[in-house]
Amino acid sequence: MDMIKLAAEMRTALQYFVTTLDAETQLDKMLEIPSMFPAYEVGKAYKVKDVISYGVNSVGDPQLYQVLQDHTSAAEWTPDTATSLYKAIGVTEGGYPVWVQPLGASDAYNTGDIVSHNGTLYISTMDGNVWSPETYPAGWEVYAE
């Protein structure tokens, strides 16, 4: 069995699945698997509500964007600059990522990471932080800009 071909087929299947998620009601699920969303491509026809990845957010995860209007992408209209075409999701208006339950040590929050949880900004006070601010308040401090 060709493991590379199998892995490519699995990724394609997962990318089909992620297109069924809704950013309005299932954002938490989307943010758990940001690397599964297709990367932004120049010259591609996008439809309203498509979700793509482009660049990385402040904690190093792929940044997700939702398409706001049907269009064909162009090199000069990248998701991070064309705010009439794309909306960053999983981040606050100030650019802070929304807290997502880490899967383990590999994606845990570290000292100094700032996240938004239930509308409040928090800064992690420890490395390897896998708990939410409400589950383990000692691992977080309220952050003010």
Side-chain angles (χ1 to χ4, degrees), residues 6 10 24-25 42-43 48 52 74 78 82-83 92 96 102 109 119 131 139:
L6 184 60
M10 178 60 77
E24 302 294 322
T25 60
V42 173
V48 171
I52 56 170
T78 58
T83 57
T92 66
Y96 295 103
Y109 296 100
W131 301 280

Side-chain angles (χ1 to χ4, degrees), residues 105-116:
S106 64
D107 64 340
Y109 296 100
N110 290 310
T111 302
D113 286 345
I114 301 169
V115 298
S116 175

Side-chain angles (χ1 to χ4, degrees), residues 123-135:
I123 186 166
S124 178
T125 60
M126 59 188 274
D127 289 336
N129 192 345
V130 296
W131 301 280
S132 75
E134 64 188 25
T135 302

Side-chain angles (χ1 to χ4, degrees), residues 65 68-69 71 74 76-87:
Y65 291 86
L68 299 175
Q69 57 182 300
H71 70 283
E76 62 273 12
W77 301 334
T78 58
D80 60 334
T81 61
T83 57
S84 64
L85 297 175
Y86 308 96
K87 172 179 76 169

